[in-house]
Amino acid sequence: DAGVTQSPTHLIKTRGQQVTLRCSPKSGHDTVSWYQQALGQGPQFIFQYYEEEERQRGNFPDRFSGHQFPNYSSELNVNALLLGDSALYLCASSLVVPTGPSYEQYFGPGTRLTVT
Amino acid sequence: DQQVKQNSPSLSVQEGRISILNCDYTNSMFDYFLWYKKYPAEGPTFLISISSIKDKNEDGRFTVFLNKSAKHLSLHIVPSQPGDSAVYFCAASAEAGNMLTFGGGTRLMVKP
C-alpha cells in the first residue's frame, strides 16, 4: 500500500523565482493538505484540496497557490520566492468516509526548499 | 497567537522509564487531538489520537490523556525505548477533515 509521496526531495531556488512541488496521496485518499514547516517549528497549514477545489486556507499570501487533479494528486506553487519561504513543505492526505471526513492525516516525507 | 503549545523543547529519559510529553491549547473549539512522531528526513507519522468526548486513549505503550477543563493533554510512553527518540508533535482539529494546528514539538531522547 503506497503511502504519501512527494517530489522533489530537495530543491534550491533563487529569490524571485517560482517553484512547483508535487504530491501523490495515500492510496484511496481523496483529500490533500499542504503544510510549511520552518526549522525548529511545527508544521503550519497552507491549504487543503478536496474534489479539485481549495476547501480551506491558512494564513498564507496569494503567492502560494495549488491545484488538485482528477487522480487526487496535488501541486503547490509558490511565486516570487522570498528567503523566508525556505522550509520543509509537507503534504498530507486524508479520506472522506461515508460517515464524513476523518481527522487523521497521513504525511509524506516532505520537500526541502532552500531559497538563496 | 499560538493555539497549541508544547512548552518543553526537549526531554531526556532513561530506557525503560516513563516519558511524559505535554501539550496545552487555547481554542475551545478543538474537538480532536493527535500526536505525531517525526524522525529526521521523514514526514510526521501518526501515533495516537483522542476525541474530546474521552479523557483517555491507550494503544500499546502509548496513552494519551485529555483534561478539557485545563485545556491540557499529555502523551505517556511506557516503557520508553531508544527507538522512541524523535520529535513529537501535538496537533488539534476543530472539525473532522479540517486543518490541523500543531504545537512546536518536543524532542525526546531515550538513553540506553
Side-chain angles (χ1 to χ4, degrees):
Chain A
D1 179 21
V4 179
T5 60
Q6 293 186 244
S7 63
T9 306
H10 296 90
L11 204 51
I12 300 175
K13 289 286 188 178
T14 304
R15 275 180 299 176
Q17 285 188 318
Q18 179 264 344
V19 68
T20 297
L21 311 181
R22 295 176 176 82
C23 170
S24 290
K26 184 177 168 67
S27 178
H29 284 189
D30 55 9
T31 303
V32 173
S33 301
W34 286 92
Y35 293 80
Q36 180 195 67
Q37 186 180 12
L39 202 60
Q41 298 181 21
Q44 280 203 299
F45 176 77
I46 303 175
F47 43 54
Q48 183 183 82
Y49 278 84
Y50 173 66
E51 293 188 335
E52 301 180 48
E53 291 193 359
E54 185 180 289
R55 180 171 173 268
Q56 195 178 16
R57 189 178 183 93
N59 188 25
F60 278 80
D62 292 345
R63 297 188 297 110
F64 290 77
S65 63
H67 189 78
Q68 186 180 34
F69 299 94
N71 66 353
Y72 307 123
S73 67
S74 176
E75 287 182 350
L76 163 65
N77 300 293
V78 187
N79 295 322
L81 284 167
L82 304 174
L83 295 179
D85 294 332
S86 295
L88 180 68
Y89 288 85
L90 295 162
C91 170
S93 72
S94 53
L95 177 64
V96 177
V97 295
T99 52
S102 65
Y103 283 95
E104 287 83 10
Q105 296 184 15
Y106 295 86
F107 286 82
T111 294
R112 172 73 61 188
L113 172 65
T114 302
V115 182
T116 61
Chain B
D1 176 30
Q2 264 192 298
Q3 298 187 60
V4 179
K5 285 186 181 179
Q6 295 176 254
N7 291 318
S8 298
S10 64
L11 175 67
S12 183
V13 171
Q14 206 67 35
E15 181 180 5
R17 305 295 290 269
I18 184 172
S19 295
I20 300 176
L21 295 91
N22 294 303
C23 178
D24 297 295
Y25 63 96
T26 57
N27 189 342
S28 300
M29 299 301 292
F30 288 145
D31 63 356
Y32 202 83
F33 303 88
L34 308 90
W35 284 93
Y36 285 84
K37 178 171 69 173
K38 188 178 185 302
Y39 293 118
E42 294 184 13
T45 302
F46 170 70
L47 198 55
I48 192 171
S49 61
I50 187 167
S51 164
S52 61
I53 62 173
K54 295 184 176 181
D55 54 19
K56 178 183 174 181
N57 188 26
E58 195 171 352
D59 183 2
R61 296 186 297 115
F62 303 91
T63 302
V64 56
F65 295 92
L66 175 62
N67 182 335
K68 280 186 295 183
S69 60
K71 293 190 175 66
H72 177 84
L73 64 155
S74 61
L75 173 67
H76 292 211
I77 306 174
V78 183
S80 301
Q81 300 173 353
D84 296 329
S85 298
V87 178
Y88 288 78
F89 291 100
C90 167
S93 178
E95 186 180 332
N98 273 9
M99 60 181 279
L100 296 179
T101 301
F102 283 84
T106 296
R107 181 177 300 278
L108 174 66
M109 292 163 285
V110 180
K111 298 179 179 178

